[in-house]
Amino acid sequence: MSKVVVIGAGVIGLTNALMLLQKGYDVTIIAKHLPSDFDFGQEYTSPIAGANWHSFANNDQIEIQNFDKPGYKKFLHFADYVPKAGVVRRKNVNYITKDKLKQEGGKIELPWFKDFVEGFRILNENELPSDIGFGFEFDGVVISTTIYLNYLLLECVDLGATYKRVNLTKLSDAIKYHSTGKPADLIVNCSGLLAKHLVNDKTVYPVRGQVLLVENSCPNLLTVEYHDPNHPNEMLYIMPRKEGGSVIGGCFSPNPNDNNGSIDYELAERILINAKKYMPKLIDSNFNNNPNVFKIIRYQVGYRPFREDGYRIEKEIINSGIKVVHCYGHGGAGFQSSYGTCSKSVSLVDSFLSNYKL
């Protein structure tokens, strides 16, 4: 049985670990942060993600589409048959304002997944708010991240995985942390933003996100794209969780030098104003006993692990013989692309350990 060390306990690390265990590998997971932590570092993005399925791929980005497809089917299965995974079905409603459409020349391009997802439908004009120029909906999912990450970890443990808290500073050191006490046969690197330093990948950069976790609930997942020249990196998204309450965002601020994790309270206020405007049920006491004001549980800031060249899923031999499979650079698509990208990285592990040639 080949010994594998997986670096990282975010959604990509844990999904890789689970899929490797299901194929019979002896897996040890090492990570600076674990899903059971009470306080998360801002580079540990997975627990504070909104977490839904809405592919970002363009119509011509076939590889990314294929990475995203397995996750949609898998998360629907979790929602329908695996209640302990913390996944729930929600109608995914998407609006584009008239101002946004005008800014983009009035062009409407339907998403590639219109014929792939369940329940896709273009909304009629009488179903749209007055300032919305276009909308569609489909059957989506929302993932309660901490519940799901712990579900993955426990599934790994049930299949024999061990896990250790390790703060790595050097990639090659991971080989010595296998639970057997013997050097691992291979390392799977799912270090996210930390790859910038761990493998000296200068193309990795953070994209800041800020959300609010509130007690208020609503019936549907909602995304609103709008044009605000003073805040061009902002949009509204509302993700009602299975356990009640909602995650409301947000922003998408790419700045390689941004390591300021402080809360932007003016941004938070804009988020809530838009949430009230487009989803008034959030503060409607007739819906799910909601309070008539927003009850904020906490503000959350995290950094999505982007990479200039996109996903890095490839084999490498380092330090004269240590075998590594890299799987990072997922940006804001970690959950939705997890099963597709990890299928590829696990296949690379298979080929690497059966044939040592790159």
Side-chain angles (χ1 to χ4, degrees):
M1 184 184 298
S2 296
K3 301 180 294 298
V4 178
V5 169
V6 175
I7 302 171
V11 66
I12 300 302
L14 292 174
T15 305
N16 263 293
L18 181 57
M19 295 175 75
L20 289 165
L21 288 157
Q22 290 168 340
K23 300 198 74 172
Y25 289 99
D26 185 353
V27 175
T28 296
I29 303 160
I30 64 172
K32 180 179 178 182
H33 302 285
L34 296 168
S36 55
D37 291 350
F38 291 103
D39 189 22
F40 303 117
Q42 287 163 359
E43 75 275 14
Y44 186 34
T45 311
S46 291
I48 60 175
N52 67 326
W53 190 98
H54 187 138
S55 178
F56 306 133
N58 295 328
N59 286 325
D60 59 349
Q61 293 178 313
I62 305 302
E63 183 180 40
I64 298 176
Q65 293 175 19
N66 289 333
F67 282 151
D68 288 345
K69 285 180 178 180
Y72 181 72
K73 300 296 186 182
K74 191 74 173 179
F75 286 119
L76 285 182
H77 173 81
F78 283 136
D80 293 342
Y81 301 110
V82 190
K84 63 183 178 181
V87 184
V88 65
R89 281 182 180 253
R90 290 286 185 266
K91 189 68 70 174
N92 191 323
V93 179
N94 302 264
Y95 293 156
I96 304 175
T97 65
K98 293 175 180 177
D99 285 348
K100 180 72 172 180
L101 283 175
K102 183 178 180 180
Q103 182 208 17
E104 297 180 350
K107 183 180 179 181
I108 296 172
E109 185 173 334
L110 293 178
W112 70 266
F113 53 77
K114 65 184 186 301
D115 298 318
F116 171 73
V117 298
E118 298 179 10
F120 184 89
R121 183 174 73 90
I122 296 174
L123 297 174
N124 297 318
E125 185 176 352
N126 61 5
E127 298 177 274
L128 302 175
S130 60
D131 66 334
I132 298 299
F134 179 74
F136 65 87
E137 67 178 26
F138 64 93
D139 295 345
V141 294
V142 179
I143 305 155
S144 295
T145 52
T146 50
I147 296 172
Y148 180 67
L149 293 171
N150 277 288
Y151 163 78
L152 289 179
L153 181 59
L154 292 175
E155 289 291 294
C156 289
V157 171
D158 282 348
L159 290 175
T162 56
Y163 56 98
K164 299 181 179 181
R165 191 183 300 277
V166 177
N167 188 4
L168 277 182
T169 57
K170 188 177 179 183
L171 180 65
S172 58
D173 285 349
I175 200 169
K176 65 186 181 184
Y177 286 106
H178 195 270
S179 62
T180 59
K182 299 176 182 179
D185 297 305
L186 183 142
I187 298 166
V188 180
N189 174 28
C190 310
S191 55
L193 278 176
L194 295 179
K196 183 178 183 70
H197 307 292
L198 204 56
V199 297
N200 197 32
D201 188 339
K202 302 301 184 185
T203 69
V204 173
Y205 65 98
V207 172
R208 187 180 191 276
Q210 179 175 306
V211 299
L212 299 94
L213 180 62
V214 299
E215 291 182 14
N216 311 63
S217 298
C218 61
N220 300 324
L221 192 158
L222 177 66
T223 300
V224 183
E225 298 180 49
Y226 53 83
H227 174 56
D228 182 347
N230 295 317
H231 307 101
N233 296 319
E234 295 178 15
M235 65 182 300
L236 175 69
Y237 49 88
I238 303 169
M239 301 181 185
R241 291 275 173 86
K242 180 176 182 176
E243 66 274 20
S246 305
V247 174
I248 310 177
C251 67
F252 189 92
S253 304
N255 183 349
N257 300 313
D258 183 358
N259 59 2
N260 177 12
S262 61
I263 304 300
D264 182 340
Y265 290 99
E266 292 182 358
L267 166 60
E269 183 63 23
R270 291 193 297 273
I271 290 171
L272 292 180
I273 289 171
N274 282 318
K276 179 180 178 180
K277 176 181 179 180
Y278 291 107
M279 186 63 77
K281 284 189 176 181
L282 282 164
I283 53 172
D284 182 353
S285 59
N286 292 318
F287 179 80
N288 205 36
N289 294 317
N290 271 336
N292 58 9
V293 294
F294 286 106
K295 295 288 188 179
I296 299 170
I297 299 171
R298 62 177 174 268
Y299 301 90
Q300 299 179 154
V301 173
Y303 291 89
R304 306 170 181 96
F306 274 79
R307 184 170 180 267
E308 291 175 8
D309 298 324
Y311 303 109
R312 185 185 184 191
I313 309 173
E314 63 185 18
K315 300 186 287 188
E316 184 181 18
I317 293 178
I318 64 171
N319 290 30
S320 303
I322 297 176
K323 293 178 283 296
V324 179
V325 170
H326 299 285
C327 187
Y328 64 89
H330 291 70
F335 283 86
Q336 68 187 24
S337 70
S338 56
Y339 285 94
T341 56
C342 293
S343 291
K344 179 176 179 178
S345 56
V346 168
S347 70
L348 293 179
V349 172
D350 289 339
S351 66
F352 216 166
L353 291 177
S354 63
N355 179 0
Y356 287 175
K357 294 181 181 180
L358 279 170

